[in-house]
Structure formats: structure tokens, C-alpha cells
Amino acid sequence: MTQMPRHVRDALQDLMVEYAYAVDALSDIDNLLDLFTDDAQVDMTAIGLPMMYGRGDIKAFFDTVFETMSHHFHFMSNYRPESWDGTVGAMTSYVIGMGRAKDGNTVTVQVKYRMECIEQDGTWKCRHYTISPMMPLPGSLTEIHGEA
Amino acid sequence: MTQMPRHVRDALQDLMVEYAYAVDALSDIDNLLDLFTDDAQVDMTAIGLPMMYGRGDIKAFFDTVFETMSHHFHFMSNYRPESWDGTVGAMTSYVIGMGRAKDGNTVTVQVKYRMECIEQDGTWKCRHYTISPMMPLPGSLTEIHGEA
Amino acid sequence: MTQMPRHVRDALQDLMVEYAYAVDALSDIDNLLDLFTDDAQVDMTAIGLPMMYGRGDIKAFFDTVFETMSHHFHFMSNYRPESWDGTVGAMTSYVIGMGRAKDGNTVTVQVKYRMECIEQDGTWKCRHYTISPMMPLPGSLTEIHGEA
């Protein structure tokens, strides 16, 4: 592959961090949705959560998550450029994700994120986001966030 | 806000990492204090620990911490520029903080740091540092580090 | 010390991340070995694991690890340049390392990596790699990976 330019790497890494802050705020769904293209696909099936097509699905999923959870903590590292074709860039990262539901249930996962991103009107957005498990998943994950 | 220049981002990120190494060394309090301005304020009240005004307070707090703890591990990620006015820059990060006291007690917290920094004689220093909890705090935190 | 140039910092940080991905893939030992010089020394004695001299030793150790483990997760942060002499650069990082063996045994460690690196034919390679414990080690570590 062509090597991803540093400014694209920085932009994608910043986008992933923004995602963590937006998800962990547990409020302001629009702030979260703004990080995705209108037709973005989010594939959480590998961890037993839904496949989402477009912002409508993403909003529906996170509306429930924001309603259900009292605490969130998505800790990101090991950023790595995966591909770059001059327009579309993909980056992976490792994530320790923690959550506590309002009912007191808690969950911790160790996963990998892959975000495929594109620039729209000067802003980088994610158009395809996949989560893969790295360590065995706890049973409480689907219990807390619902099944796919 | 004006966008924080890359070299300021790098400097603030490095300062936060230096702080982690200095706190985890559990020795050489001067090395730790050098990261702060003389009049730096450290606000740990949101996690049940003291509000500190100036290096004297910071030294007193960490003298006790260094005396009490056998192990420290402050793991930092999700760096994010918060503000930049051309002179003062603020950056946040996520932190997993772990400690083990000499009496065998252990503690793990998931928190957010915010450091407001300024350059003095060519070196960036923190003048305001705040810790906010992200996940519920364990009871052992104030037991280990003392109450505010 | 002379300050480590940004492009060397980036290269060393990328090498450390590549190492995490290669170790966590639990396959393709050649991909892992390619990150080291032929005569690289790996010192894991501080965590009760072997001292390795050259790629042969490294291959023997990781062949067993890859055979034994079902899951790996090496989460890296707190990158910090340690030294730079114009040719050889050393960088440290903090690591949360998690593993699950095929027999169901699990292990989590909080450690520090130090990688001393050199450029060979345009590619950075590690020639000396040391792991130091930061938090007390669990008994399951040598049980899973074998003793030094």
C-alpha cells in the first residue's frame, strides 16, 4: 500500500479519540453521530452486538446505550495504519472498554477497533467501523448492550 | 478555539507522560515537582483526595504517597487538546491508575486528567491539574492516599 | 543526550506497536522475528522468563508461547525516548499484557518495555529488549510461559 501520510494518521487517530470521548460522555448523541458519514456501517456482530446501516441504526443503538449506562470508559492504544489509497484511510487500535449500567451490572472488554475513514468538507468521518474481540468476552456484554 | 499547534500538543503529551513516570518512580520528589509551576494548583477533590495550592502542598501530598506505596502504575491514553490561547494550553487524557501500598492494600482507578500548561524558560510546566473519575471509585482509594 | 528526532521517535513507537500486533497474532513467527536484529538480546528475567540470545532463542520461546496461548492482548502506552546517539535509539513504554492459555489459565501483567533499536537497510529493528515489572507479578505468569 501507499504509506499513509502523517497528517492523515493524526486525523484518524484524533477521530478515534473523539469517538471514545463521545461514547463516554453518555449524552449528546449528535456529537457522536457527527463522527460518521450518513451511510456509515457499524459492525459489532463479532462481539454479539448489532450490525448497523447508516446513522439511523447507529442513533437507535446508542440512544439505548446512553439511556442504560451510568459510566463508560473506552481506553485506546496501539494505533496502526492499515490502508491508504489516497482518499480512504483505515486505522486499527486496541481498546479496553469498561461500562457500568444503571442497574449496577458492569462489563470490561479487550477489543480491536477498525475505522475506515474519508474526508468530507474538510472533516474526517468514519464510514465503516468494526469491533473484533481480542480476549474472551464476558457474558455481561450482551446482557448490558443487548444482542445482535 | 485556535487550534493547538502540533509542537505544543507534543510538548503537553510528553509532560503528561513525564508526570506518570515521575509519580511511578516513587522517589525523587524534586523530579516530580519540576513538572509544575511554583504556584500550580492540583485538584483531586473529585476523587476524594486533597486540593493543593502550590508546590509546598504538592510536595507534602506526594511525600506521603511515596512513603506509603510500594508500587505505582499510571497508564495514559486518549490525549485530547482542550484549549489553546497562544500561551496557555490545556490537554486531557484518560488514565488507568494502579497502586499497591506497603501494607498490601491495592487500588485501581479509571480517571481523566486535565493539565493546563504554560512554557517557562523553554520548558512546559503544569499550572493546573485536575483529576475526574470516569468509573465508580473503589473504597480503597482514600484508605490508601488519605482523604481530602 | 542529544534529543531524539521526531521521525526516529515515530519509527520506534511504530516498531513497538508492530511488536504488540505480532505477539498478539499468535501466528506467523517470522513476522515477529523480522522486528529484531539477528543477534538481538531479549531479557525477560526480571519477570521470571528467559534471557534470549539471538533470533534462535527468540523463535524457540515464542514458538512455545504461540502453541500454548489461545488469546493475547498487549496494550501499550506512555512512550518515552530514553536515549539517542545518532544511530541507536532506546524507547520505553508501559504495557498491560493479558493472555489466556489453551488450558484456560489466564494472566495479566503491568510492565515496562525498553527497546533499543537500530536502522538496518531502511528498516528499524530491535537489538535489545527488556521487560521490567511495575506491579507485583501474578503466579500464573511462569506457569503459563515457563520459567527462566
Side-chain angles (χ1 to χ4, degrees), chain C residues 40-45 48-53 57 128-129 147-148:
Chain C
Q41 295 188 13
V42 176
D43 185 351
M44 299 191 181
T45 57
L49 297 177
M51 175 75 212
M52 308 167 211
Y53 298 95
D57 284 2
H128 200 282
Y129 164 37
E147 290 180 60

Side-chain angles (χ1 to χ4, degrees), chain A residues 65-101:
Chain A
V65 168
F66 284 9
E67 175 60 30
T68 316
M69 306 300 290
S70 66
H71 297 73
H72 249 184
F73 182 75
H74 288 82
F75 198 80
M76 211 169 283
S77 81
N78 296 28
Y79 305 99
R80 186 181 190 235
E82 291 289 323
S83 65
W84 170 247
D85 68 5
T87 305
V88 178
M91 181 172 276
T92 56
S93 68
Y94 283 24
V95 179
I96 295 175
M98 302 182 71
R100 182 185 171 280

Side-chain angles (χ1 to χ4, degrees), chain C residues 15 30-42 52-59 87-89 115-121 123-129:
Chain C
L15 181 61
D30 291 330
N31 192 35
L32 176 62
L33 294 175
D34 272 352
L35 304 174
F36 293 92
T37 61
D38 287 342
D39 61 350
Q41 295 188 13
V42 176
M52 308 167 211
Y53 298 95
R55 280 194 183 177
D57 284 2
I58 301 172
K59 175 171 160 44
T87 306
V88 177
M115 286 199 178
E116 196 179 284
C117 305
I118 190 163
E119 204 172 7
Q120 290 186 336
D121 302 322
T123 304
W124 285 88
K125 309 232 174 200
C126 176
R127 71 174 196 184
H128 200 282
Y129 164 37

Side-chain angles (χ1 to χ4, degrees), chain A residues 22-94:
Chain A
V23 164
D24 293 348
L26 293 172
S27 64
D28 197 348
I29 188 77
D30 291 330
N31 191 35
L32 175 63
L33 294 174
D34 272 351
L35 305 175
F36 293 92
T37 62
D38 287 343
D39 62 349
Q41 295 188 14
V42 176
D43 184 351
M44 299 191 181
T45 56
I47 61 167
L49 297 176
M51 176 74 212
M52 308 168 211
Y53 298 95
R55 281 193 183 176
D57 283 1
I58 301 172
K59 176 172 160 43
F61 176 75
F62 281 103
D63 274 344
T64 304
V65 168
F66 284 9
E67 175 60 30
T68 316
M69 306 300 290
S70 66
H71 297 73
H72 249 184
F73 182 75
H74 288 82
F75 198 80
M76 211 169 283
S77 81
N78 296 28
Y79 305 99
R80 186 181 190 235
E82 291 289 323
S83 65
W84 170 247
D85 68 5
T87 305
V88 178
M91 181 172 276
T92 56
S93 68
Y94 283 24

Side-chain angles (χ1 to χ4, degrees), chain A residues 17-18 21 31, chain B residues 9 77-83 90-93:
Chain A
V17 169
E18 284 306 306
Y21 279 80
N31 191 35
Chain B
R9 284 187 68 161
S77 82
N78 296 28
Y79 305 98
R80 186 181 191 235
E82 291 289 325
S83 65
M91 181 171 277
T92 56
S93 68

